[in-house]
Amino acid sequence: MMVVVLGAGASGGIPVPYCRCRSCEEARRIKVARRKPTSVLIVFGENKCILVDAGFDVSEHVDPLDLRAVLITHWHHDHFAGLYRLRWTPRKIPLYSPKITDSEIASNPLRLDPHILKAFDTVTIDEIKVTALPLEHPVETYGYLIESKSSSIAVLFDTKGLPSATLEFLRKKKVALALIDANFPPGASYEGHNNVDEALEIGREIGVNLTVLTHISHENLPFSELRRYVAEKTSRATVAYDGMTITLP
């Protein structure tokens, strides 16, 4: 499997228009520090892919590939706005998610084919097994464990820690890679999102081989500082950026 980070930012992306904070100013100077809202591609087989969240128009990224399914973690716009265009495709696209709370998608999915998941439901998409994992967020939110025959990826966006059942479930798995919400800087505390240290602790508790911090807001440390901070903490974690690609067996 190959993981392609299309968007590693929070709802406002980076830079936020007219914001002059250090993170936004760095992103204006350095292209790699810029971030679109959350979206990740899981590529497998010769040309197949699964899209996890669509925080912006992802059409150009999925168009060259055989999109087998879309997984939505929750119904906040920075995680599904790209569906508005994607639903016009000429063929049906399976859509897996918690209960749909966006009235437009619910009433007019067009070529999207919705399947509503419950906690710990498992579905098979070609040779890939996907399990819905409840997360800690103000609205119903799932992470996803995505497993091939040889590797596994945990996608844990928009959460503040993990529910005990989800943590225990993941501890029993050999998770190679975890993409974890690290919205806020070290020491910050807000409902619904981890800070950097909380995200690193989740990776440690799961026992994951590599933790990738994502869903980074402009309130966090500037990208260059954040990378240094994480590198000093552990060799088993890094910071996501748009376009980042990780290949697993």
Side-chain angles (χ1 to χ4, degrees):
M1 288 190 292
M2 183 167 65
V3 178
V4 184
V5 178
L6 303 181
S11 57
I14 303 176
V16 174
Y18 306 113
C19 180
R20 301 302 173 191
C21 74
R22 293 192 304 127
S23 291
C24 290
E25 291 290 61
E26 181 192 59
R28 292 185 178 98
R29 297 191 308 271
I30 305 171
K31 187 175 181 179
V32 74
R34 300 171 193 169
R35 299 175 182 275
K36 295 184 181 71
T38 304
S39 189
V40 172
L41 268 179
I42 310 297
V43 183
F44 62 99
E46 291 187 5
N47 198 41
K48 299 175 184 178
C49 70
I50 295 170
L51 178 67
V52 186
D53 283 345
F56 61 99
D57 182 6
V58 296
S59 302
E60 67 175 294
H61 299 286
V62 300
D63 185 54
L65 302 170
D66 181 6
L67 180 60
R68 307 303 293 174
V70 177
L71 311 176
I72 295 296
T73 60
H74 65 296
W75 293 96
H76 280 162
H77 282 86
D78 59 319
H79 291 259
F80 76 87
L83 293 182
Y84 288 129
R85 185 177 181 197
L86 201 58
R87 64 185 173 149
W88 291 94
T89 59
R91 63 177 177 88
K92 283 193 173 183
I93 299 174
L95 171 68
Y96 297 94
S97 73
K99 181 180 177 181
I100 301 173
T101 58
D102 177 74
S103 59
E104 176 68 15
I105 298 295
S107 64
N108 195 23
L110 297 176
R111 305 307 293 170
L112 299 174
D113 181 19
H115 301 267
I116 305 306
L117 299 175
K118 296 180 180 179
F120 298 105
D121 278 355
T122 296
V123 296
T124 301
I125 302 166
D126 295 301
E127 65 265 34
I128 303 297
K129 185 170 75 171
V130 176
T131 303
L133 308 172
L135 299 182
E136 296 284 1
H137 201 53
V139 300
E140 185 180 25
T141 303
Y142 292 148
Y144 293 102
L145 180 66
I146 300 168
E147 299 175 278
S148 69
K149 291 181 179 179
S150 57
S151 197
S152 60
I153 303 161
V155 178
L156 306 172
F157 301 149
D158 285 44
T159 192
K160 176 75 166 181
L162 293 179
S164 58
T166 297
L167 179 58
E168 290 307 312
F169 179 86
L170 289 173
R171 278 176 168 167
K172 296 174 183 177
K173 301 287 184 176
K174 293 181 179 179
V175 180
L177 172 69
L179 299 160
I180 303 179
D181 172 343
N183 197 97
F184 291 110
S189 183
Y190 292 90
E191 182 185 13
H193 291 282
N194 297 313
N195 66 36
V196 171
D197 290 330
E198 289 166 337
L200 293 174
E201 179 61 16
I202 289 173
R204 188 195 67 78
E205 288 182 324
I206 294 170
V208 65
N209 291 347
L210 177 64
T211 295
V212 176
L213 305 185
T214 190
H215 202 284
I216 308 296
S217 82
H218 72 130
E219 297 172 74
N220 215 317
L221 300 174
F223 179 61
S224 55
E225 293 181 29
L226 183 56
R227 290 194 70 185
R228 285 196 296 272
Y229 180 87
V230 171
E232 290 170 359
K233 285 279 185 176
T234 176
S235 61
R236 298 179 66 177
T238 190
V239 181
Y241 55 87
D242 292 12
M244 183 183 202
T245 301
I246 300 168
T247 301
L248 299 172

